[in-house]
C-alpha cells in the first residue's frame, strides 16, 4: 500500500521557508524510504494604498505590498514511516511558517 503525504507551507519570507525545507529534509533522512518532492508556487502579491491625510489631500498616499511565498511538499512511501514523520512534524514549531498536512492512502 502506497502512502502519500502533502504539506502546504506558507510564509511572508522565503528565508523561513528554506529553513522549513532544511528541517524537513533532516527529518526525512531519519525515516528511511520516503521520497520527497518540493514544488514552489507563484508568489502572491497584495498591494493596498492608504491616504496619509484623513481629509482633503488625496495626493498624499502611501502604498504597501504584502507577499506570500508558498511551497507544496509531496512525500511518498510504501511503509508507515510517513505517518510517524507527519506526527513528529506537528509537534515541531516553525517561526513565521503556516503549514497544513494531508495524508492520502492508496491501496
Amino acid at each position: 500500500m502506497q502512502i502519500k503525504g502533502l504539506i502546504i507551507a506558507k510564509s511572508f519570507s522565503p528565508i523561513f521557508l528554506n529553513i522549513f525545507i532544511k528541517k524537513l529534509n533532516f527529518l526525512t533522512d531519519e525515516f528511511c524510504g520516503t521520497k520527497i518532492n518540493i514544488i514552489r508556487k507563484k508568489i502572491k502579491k497584495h498591494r493596498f494604498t492608504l491616504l496619509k491625510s484623513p481629509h482633503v489631500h488625496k495626493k498624499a498616499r502611501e502604498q504597501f505590498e504584502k507577499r506570500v511565498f508558498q511551497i507544496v511538499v509531496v512525500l511518498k512511501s510504501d511503509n508507515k514511516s510517513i505517518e510517524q514523520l507527519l506526527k513528529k512534524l506537528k509537534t515541531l514549531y516553525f517561526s513565521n511558517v503556516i503549514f497544513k498536512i494531508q495524508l492520502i492512502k492508496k491501496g
Side-chain angles (χ1 to χ4, degrees), residues 61-107:
R61 297 179 185 180
E62 199 161 346
Q63 292 185 341
F64 298 97
E65 180 178 87
K66 179 176 78 170
R67 295 180 182 186
V68 179
F69 298 89
Q70 185 175 1
I71 60 168
V72 176
V73 180
V74 181
L75 302 166
K76 292 182 183 177
S77 178
D78 291 335
N79 53 14
K80 302 229 176 197
S81 64
I82 286 186
E83 292 178 11
Q84 296 170 352
L85 174 76
L86 295 179
K87 284 180 185 176
K88 189 165 186 174
L89 189 65
K90 281 183 183 179
T91 60
L92 296 177
Y93 173 73
F94 296 99
S95 61
N96 297 324
V97 176
I98 300 170
F99 60 94
K100 296 178 185 177
I101 297 174
Q102 295 177 349
L103 189 66
I104 303 167
K105 295 182 180 179
K106 293 182 180 178

Side-chain angles (χ1 to χ4, degrees), residues 6-100:
L6 287 175
I7 303 169
I8 301 169
K10 295 180 183 180
S11 179
F12 294 119
S13 172
I15 297 168
F16 294 114
L17 278 180
N18 290 336
I19 293 170
F20 177 76
I21 290 170
K22 286 179 185 177
K23 287 185 180 180
L24 189 64
N25 282 332
F26 179 73
L27 280 176
T28 53
D29 289 343
E30 287 182 20
F31 298 98
C32 313
T34 33
K35 296 177 185 176
I36 184 169
N37 189 10
I38 300 169
I39 303 165
R40 294 192 181 265
K41 291 205 144 188
K42 189 176 177 182
I43 301 169
K44 292 183 181 178
K45 296 178 185 178
H46 178 68
R47 293 187 180 133
F48 55 96
T49 305
L50 292 176
L51 296 176
K52 286 184 180 179
S53 173
H55 297 294
V56 184
H57 308 288
K58 191 162 181 164
K59 290 183 180 179
R61 297 179 185 180
E62 199 161 346
Q63 292 185 341
F64 298 97
E65 180 178 87
K66 179 176 78 170
R67 295 180 182 186
V68 179
F69 298 89
Q70 185 175 1
I71 60 168
V72 176
V73 180
V74 181
L75 302 166
K76 292 182 183 177
S77 178
D78 291 335
N79 53 14
K80 302 229 176 197
S81 64
I82 286 186
E83 292 178 11
Q84 296 170 352
L85 174 76
L86 295 179
K87 284 180 185 176
K88 189 165 186 174
L89 189 65
K90 281 183 183 179
T91 60
L92 296 177
Y93 173 73
F94 296 99
S95 61
N96 297 324
V97 176
I98 300 170
F99 60 94
K100 296 178 185 177

